[in-house]
Amino acid sequence: MVIKRGFYLLIGLSSLFLGLLGIAVPLLPTVPFILLAAFCFARSSERLHAWLMTHPWFADALQNWHNERAIRRGLKRKAYIATCLSFSVSIILVPLLWVKLMLLAMLTGLLLYLRQIPELDD
């Protein structure tokens, strides 16, 4: 049991780090890593799970996801904008056509995924 909790704690901390890094780094998603961190902390550390679930940046979105499996309309709009901006910058900066096409395909897939997530009214 200790090894399993340690594994979840390690994955949770790594996911939290990547999620926070994703706030500033284009193409590194924030939300999936924060959701994974919450999942792992729930299985490894009550203190870290409580901290993450009450953190001012993440609490509202995590509670909505946990209770409703949905996100607020405004947050979804922000996700669309941030995703499009970061992918656009990457597509413009990359010189190789095949990489641009791959990024465009990834953008399309991510936008389709975001579209299917249920919305809550703001």
Side-chain angles (χ1 to χ4, degrees):
M1 194 64 159
V2 174
I3 293 173
K4 189 175 180 181
R5 284 186 62 178
F7 174 75
Y8 277 123
L9 183 62
L10 180 64
I11 298 299
L13 290 171
S14 299
S15 296
L16 179 61
F17 174 75
L18 290 171
L20 293 173
L21 191 61
I23 293 171
V25 176
L27 292 182
L28 189 61
T30 298
V31 174
F33 285 119
I34 298 301
L35 290 174
L36 179 60
F39 174 85
C40 291
F41 290 158
R43 283 146 185 82
S44 64
S45 171
E46 289 180 27
R47 194 179 106 237
L48 285 173
H49 185 254
W51 172 80
L52 189 59
M53 295 301 283
T54 58
H55 192 280
W57 290 357
F58 310 118
D60 186 42
L62 287 172
Q63 291 296 330
N64 289 338
W65 185 257
H66 179 72
N67 297 328
E68 308 284 336
R69 291 288 189 244
I71 60 176
R72 287 183 303 106
R73 181 173 288 126
L75 183 59
K76 193 172 183 178
R77 193 175 312 121
K78 288 177 186 175
Y80 278 128
I81 291 168
T83 300
C84 288
L85 285 175
S86 65
F87 270 89
S88 296
V89 168
S90 298
I91 289 170
I92 289 169
L93 293 178
V94 170
L96 302 172
L97 179 61
W98 71 270
V99 176
K100 289 179 187 248
L101 294 174
M102 182 185 69
L103 289 170
L104 188 59
M106 291 169 60
L107 172 62
T108 303
L110 185 54
L111 292 177
L112 289 172
Y113 173 74
L114 282 173
R115 184 175 174 207
Q116 64 88 29
I117 296 174
E119 293 180 3
L120 299 171
D121 291 327
D122 287 327

